[in-house]
Amino acid sequence: MITLYNAERCPYAARVRIVLAEKGIEVEVVEIDLSDRPAWFYDKNPKGRVPVIEEEGERPLPESAVIMEFLEERYPEPALLPLDPADRAAARLLIFRDDDLTDPYYALRREEEGAREQFDAALGRLDALLGEQPYLSGAEYGLADVGLVPWVLRARDMLGVELDGFPSLADWLARLEQRPAIAEEAGIVAAL
Ligand SMILES: N[C@@H](CCC(=O)N[C@@H](CS)C(=O)NCC(=O)O)C(=O)O
């Protein structure tokens, strides 16, 4: 049994929720109030951040990108990384450089000047990539899609960003939302 220390509003935790759901992993969810964190939570992650997962008898594991990779190795089916090493590296690079999307997203949330243009440019880069391949992970859905979709969903549903100008991205999101794991996350975002 795995425990997930979670915050529904957290897009990093969303990555982990989605991977757990895609792989059908049974999980106990402990919601952490980030505005009033329990002192014991710092024993799970000295940085005090969610997400953290904990397998019974194992040390707690923070950092969403590391957790996604761990879950992929621990529960290989269904695979969420491509087989080809170059494709795997390309998927990992998108996650490693997630701040290409998240920095403009948070700037937009803070209503900084020029943020809208920067966020649109980030969406434009993803749209161009999705014009060449059906998923950010390559030919198949996978971790790069899971790694970035939480911010795209939140931008659309919480910040009112229109995706009409990004047809390949809008089509990708529509396909992703047909997956129960992503639809569930969209439901969480709608209720925030
Ligand atoms: N690099 C971390 C970032 C996690 C993160 O920033 N979580 C936020 C919530 S979305 C958090 O716990 N913030 C509380 C804090 O920074 O004190 C990851 O990928 O897991």
Side-chain angles (χ1 to χ4, degrees):
M1 173 63 98
I2 286 189
T3 303
L4 167 65
Y5 300 95
N6 184 52
E8 289 210 328
R9 70 174 166 82
C10 176
Y12 298 96
R15 288 172 159 179
V16 177
R17 292 193 289 268
I18 294 168
V19 173
L20 289 165
E22 291 289 358
K23 290 180 179 284
I25 301 166
E26 204 184 330
V27 62
E28 183 198 357
V29 178
V30 176
E31 194 69 14
I32 300 295
D33 179 353
L34 291 173
S35 58
D36 184 19
R37 262 163 289 193
W40 57 259
F41 185 59
Y42 290 87
D43 294 335
K44 307 293 180 193
N45 181 5
K47 291 190 187 295
R49 294 190 187 127
V50 292
V52 174
I53 64 161
E54 192 172 24
E55 281 185 314
E56 226 169 301
E58 300 289 340
R59 72 187 92 164
L61 187 62
E63 290 298 333
S64 59
V66 177
I67 297 171
M68 289 198 293
E69 292 264 356
F70 166 77
L71 292 172
E72 179 68 2
E73 290 188 353
R74 178 72 96 211
Y75 305 90
E77 298 296 330
L80 292 175
L81 275 173
L83 274 181
D84 177 68
D87 293 340
R88 292 166 84 88
R92 287 177 170 129
L93 188 59
L94 280 170
I95 298 168
F96 191 77
R97 293 195 174 153
D98 58 9
D99 54 4
D100 287 349
L101 177 69
T102 62
D103 282 355
Y105 169 87
Y106 290 112
L108 186 61
R109 221 177 60 173
R110 289 190 297 267
E111 299 180 354
E112 287 176 13
E113 208 181 312
R116 186 54 206 253
E117 289 72 18
Q118 286 170 33
F119 190 66
D120 278 355
L123 293 181
R125 288 191 293 272
L126 295 179
D127 187 59
L129 181 57
L130 289 164
E132 293 166 9
Q133 59 188 50
Y135 295 101
L136 295 174
S137 299
E140 308 285 343
Y141 165 80
L143 289 190
D145 305 287
V146 176
L148 296 185
V149 73
W151 287 270
V152 179
L153 277 176
R154 282 163 178 73
R156 185 193 65 183
D157 297 346
M158 297 174 72
L159 305 185
V161 171
E162 297 278 348
L163 300 180
D164 295 352
F166 309 99
S168 300
L169 183 75
D171 179 62
W172 165 83
L173 188 57
R175 275 181 285 120
L176 257 57
E177 286 189 289
Q178 285 168 17
R179 307 182 70 87
I182 305 285
E184 200 178 326
E185 183 57 31
I188 289 174
V189 173
L192 287 174

